[in-house]
């Protein structure tokens, strides 16, 4: 895999290009290399992640920052002037106390972290904003991704606002509304005759052949992934600078879950929250359940599956961070659970009817898994719990369009309405 | 028109039910009546609006409040404990510096107030939150509206979260995706065989016949409308407690524009911003241009039109607050301008490609009008300007689905991609 443009070698970086980040560190062997457009360990091919040398950081400094993810810039691989560079200003989304849903499920205290109100309506705006910063600092001239949905929207929008050329690759059979969602932002939407795996392979090929391309989820992936930590930071700050007892997070590649865990650990280490035990739960669809299967079997090896579920944004059959999800769940005393497509559909309606939040299938998966965890005794309903809603139902309308509709169709008269009985208490 | 339930007469109100609001005042004759579920002056049938007796309010008090519209609760007709009642927590949306769009249009300093990131993706969450508070304080048992779109979403979601029964009326020929958008939140979606006018008339009939119903845009309309002031408050606060020189606002009923003007006036009176001149501009579609027509003709009377435009959320042929829009525009030295459907479509793409914001047709109208105002010399490009994006493009996908799409469809190989030339700078 080629790096980005020649002028982007580490030695060409400006001072503080990655803030308090100091190296890329291998999750497997611990080997460290300089910060740059790399994602695999040169020693063992393990995944690289960003390592930091944090200064003292106070709650007051964070609270005085902007009302978006850049309030946590000291804890991200971004320069200190990051908010001066045009970006979509994602984050600091609602943390809603979900008393109605809690009552419905028999839970004492429940919160929904609602990332459907991000700029392009999913948590991807967070990770893409961090990838964009890395691309900029590394001198990339093209900002790109392979995607079937949320990621494509986020990359195309962020690139437009930043004034960097974007190229977004999608499978050519993608439904037209989803194509519009990305094409609205970029003139370089490329439809590829093939499935998502084909598109992904093409992206890797291009990344290897072309200089100056930053593929958010390929060669700047370590920087990209750090953006998910902001979900954990915000949950803690919005709870009044403390950690919840239990958190339920959807699992696609598994990156988000491991980064929320990392965020909680960093907050503890920096003394920004009190140390306490917390349990991390992963949510998958039965139609794409490799991590849940491994968790239940008590094994470490994740056997790839061929996805077949309505939760398409979670449909990664061979999740890169699956083993780290297992580690977080087991170490913390949590679990990884799975639910069927019917349970996902029901949970989308349940969340909407109880809390006024219209989630996509990923959030339906998380909500349904929460319900199952309570019913099976794996999650303690007396402890404070947070679930993460990662995206918006407007993007997966088809999943529920058969399940909800008008209660009645009537003539335009009061008598016709009265006959329906809908007005009765 | 019947009031809401008997126990909701003004005398039955709890102390502070409407905060610092003291009366309903007629915009035409100034007659005052007690706060309650009324919308027309008993003397002259003019529209009623909320009047206040404001205490001293400081920037610091506001800044210490929640990151949503309730930070301005002292300036709204809501109780001081409003944030304790379950609501969707709308507002405090992004104010984005739009340098790319500014450059494209030849403007020095431009901001976009982006309400597409509200809980149900339009500014309606603001007004509905205020209507919900009034409904609650007046003891209403049903929360309702006639609507074809954004308002239905906002009412159904807010009602679900508040645990109050909602009934939402729509024309039966509404596209299925838009039906799903509301039906997801309520089991009482009622499809009416007729057009929007028929649905609206039915709503008024039900409001007259039934006790305990709060129709957000009928019998609690004065409280509802106040919610739009928060757009003005936020613009001023997010600019660092000062007013912009020029603001461009879409015009449907005209309520939003007049309330932003009212908000600026209140901020000046309370000493929260420095007094200065500002110009207010209204934006309409040529297919529904009654206010723009009256403005250009220099007359006060607004002649109703039969709407025919893709900007359906602005398609009110006989706008209730049209004359007050004329007043704001003329008094401030602004204007009311109109653009064609083609200009609206082009502006939706322009805003997306320059700033990464996917707006619905209403925001396309506002952006296109901004362009036209500059080109015709009606807006000074050297002065600081704000435009309001009121809703999300995901709700009006059809408007642009023919206009954008893939640049190329290729085989999954690097060679096929190279042939497109898209990779060239």
């Amino acid at each position: 895999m080629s790096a980005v443009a020649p002028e982007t070698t580490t030695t060409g970086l400006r001072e503080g290009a990655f803030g308090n980040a100091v190296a890329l560190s291998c999750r497997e062997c611990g080997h460290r290399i300089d910060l740059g457009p790399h994602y695999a360990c040169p020693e063992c091919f393990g995944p690289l992640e960003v390592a930091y040398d944090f200064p003292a950081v106070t709650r007051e400094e964070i609270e005085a920052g902007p009302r978006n993810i850049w309030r946590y810039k000291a804890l991200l691989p971004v320069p200190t002037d990051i908010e001066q560079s045009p970006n979509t200003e994602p984050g600091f989304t609602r943390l809603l106390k979900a008393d109605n849903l809690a009552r419905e499920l028999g839970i004492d205290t429940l919160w929904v972290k609602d990332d459907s109100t991000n700029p392009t309506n999913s948590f991807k705006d967070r990770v893409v904003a961090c990838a964009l910063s890395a691309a900029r600092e590394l001198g990339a001239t093209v900002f790109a991704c392979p995607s079937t949905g949320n990621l494509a929207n986020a990359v195309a929008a962020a690139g437009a606002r930043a004034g960097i050329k974007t190229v977004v690759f999608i499978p050519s059979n993608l439904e037209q509304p989803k194509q519009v969602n990305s094409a609205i932002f970029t003139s370089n939407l490329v439809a590829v005759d093939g499935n998502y795996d084909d598109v992904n392979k093409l992206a890797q090929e291009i990344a290897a052949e072309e200089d100056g391309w930053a593929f958010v989820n390929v060669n700047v992936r370590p920087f990209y992934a750090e953006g998910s930590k902001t979900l954990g930071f915000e949950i803690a700050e919005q709870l009044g600078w403390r950690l919840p007892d239990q958190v339920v997070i959807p699992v696609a590649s598994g990156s988000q879950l491991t980064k929320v865990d990392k965020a909680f650990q960093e907050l503890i280490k920096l003394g920004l929250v009190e140390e306490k035990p917390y349990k991390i739960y992963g949510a998958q669809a039965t139609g794409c359940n490799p991590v849940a299967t491994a968790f239940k079997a008590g094994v470490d090896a994740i056997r790839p599956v061929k996805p077949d579920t309505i939760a398409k944004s979670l449909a990664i059959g061979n999740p890169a961070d699956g083993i780290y999800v297992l580690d977080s769940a087991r170490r913390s005393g949590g679990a990884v659970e799975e639910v069927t497509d019917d349970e996902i559909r029901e949970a989308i309606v349940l969340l909407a009817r109880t809390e006024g939040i219209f989630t996509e299938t990923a959030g339906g998966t998380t909500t349904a898994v929460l319900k199952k965890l309570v019913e099976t005794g794996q999650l303690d309903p007396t402890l404070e719990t947070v679930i993460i809603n990662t995206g918006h139902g407007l993007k997966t309308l088809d999943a529920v369009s058969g399940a909800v509709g008008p209660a009645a169709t009537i003539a335009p008269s009061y008598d016709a309405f009265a006959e329906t009985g809908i007005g009765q208490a």
Side-chain angles (χ1 to χ4, degrees), chain A residues 73 93 155 164 198 213-214 243 280 314 321 339 352-353 361:
Chain A
K73 62 186 175 185
T93 55
V155 164
I164 185 172
D198 297 321
W213 284 56
L243 301 182
I280 301 232
L314 301 183
D321 290 313
V339 287
R353 296 271 166 101
T361 45

Side-chain angles (χ1 to χ4, degrees), chain A residues 93-98 101-102 105 107-115 231-240 242-250 256-257 260 264 276 278-283 351 366-367 369-371 373-374 379-389:
Chain A
T93 55
R94 303 183 296 175
L95 180 73
L96 283 181
K97 187 118 185 292
L101 180 60
L105 301 183
I107 298 174
D108 288 353
T109 309
L110 178 64
W111 303 84
V112 179
K113 178 62 177 170
D114 181 23
D115 251 21
L231 276 162
F233 297 149
E234 290 179 17
I235 289 169
E237 180 178 351
Q238 291 173 316
L239 285 177
R242 60 183 176 75
L243 301 182
D245 299 314
Q246 303 171 132
V247 55
V248 187
I249 306 169
Q256 180 178 124
L257 184 145
V260 169
F264 287 174
K276 62 168 276 192
Y278 57 86
K279 295 183 181 184
I280 301 232
Y281 297 83
L351 183 61
T366 308
T367 306
V369 161
L370 170 67
K371 181 167 185 278
L373 289 169
V374 174
L379 180 139
D380 187 339
T382 69
L383 297 180
E384 182 168 57
T385 304
V386 175
I387 63 174
I388 297 180
N389 174 34

Side-chain angles (χ1 to χ4, degrees), chain A residues 229-402:
Chain A
K229 289 194 312 188
T230 59
L231 276 162
F233 297 149
E234 290 179 17
I235 289 169
E237 180 178 351
Q238 291 173 316
L239 285 177
W241 292 109
R242 60 183 176 75
L243 301 182
D245 299 314
Q246 303 171 132
V247 55
V248 187
I249 306 169
V251 174
S253 74
S255 172
Q256 180 178 124
L257 184 145
T258 60
K259 292 298 178 180
V260 169
D261 192 5
K262 187 181 183 191
F264 287 174
Q265 292 299 324
E266 288 180 350
L267 292 177
I268 291 171
K269 273 181 207 140
L270 286 161
L272 289 166
V273 299
E274 214 168 292
E275 180 158 16
K276 62 168 276 192
Y278 57 86
K279 295 183 181 184
I280 301 232
Y281 297 83
Q284 292 207 302
T286 299
C288 185
N289 61 357
V291 188
T293 301
F295 180 84
K296 290 178 194 182
V299 297
D300 284 337
I302 300 206
R303 183 181 295 186
V305 301
K306 193 167 182 300
D308 179 19
T309 169
I310 58 168
K312 293 197 197 302
S313 60
L314 301 183
I316 297 183
N318 189 13
D321 290 313
I323 52 168
Y324 307 116
V325 169
L326 290 175
D327 181 54
S328 284
R330 286 176 178 147
R331 186 175 31 77
S332 72
V336 186
E337 192 45 276
E338 61 181 67
V339 287
T340 66
D341 283 0
D342 279 345
E343 290 173 305
I344 293 168
R345 283 190 198 93
E346 283 164 23
I348 291 173
V349 178
L350 177 66
L351 183 61
R353 296 271 166 101
T354 51
E355 301 300 341
I357 299 170
F358 187 13
T359 183
E360 66 162 344
T361 45
T365 304
T366 308
T367 306
V369 161
L370 170 67
K371 181 167 185 278
K372 189 166 179 179
L373 289 169
V374 174
E375 287 170 357
T376 55
Q378 296 178 84
L379 180 139
D380 187 339
T382 69
L383 297 180
E384 182 168 57
T385 304
V386 175
I387 63 174
I388 297 180
N389 174 34
T390 48
H392 204 299
L394 278 168
K395 296 190 184 186
T396 58
L397 274 179
D398 289 351
V400 291
S401 58

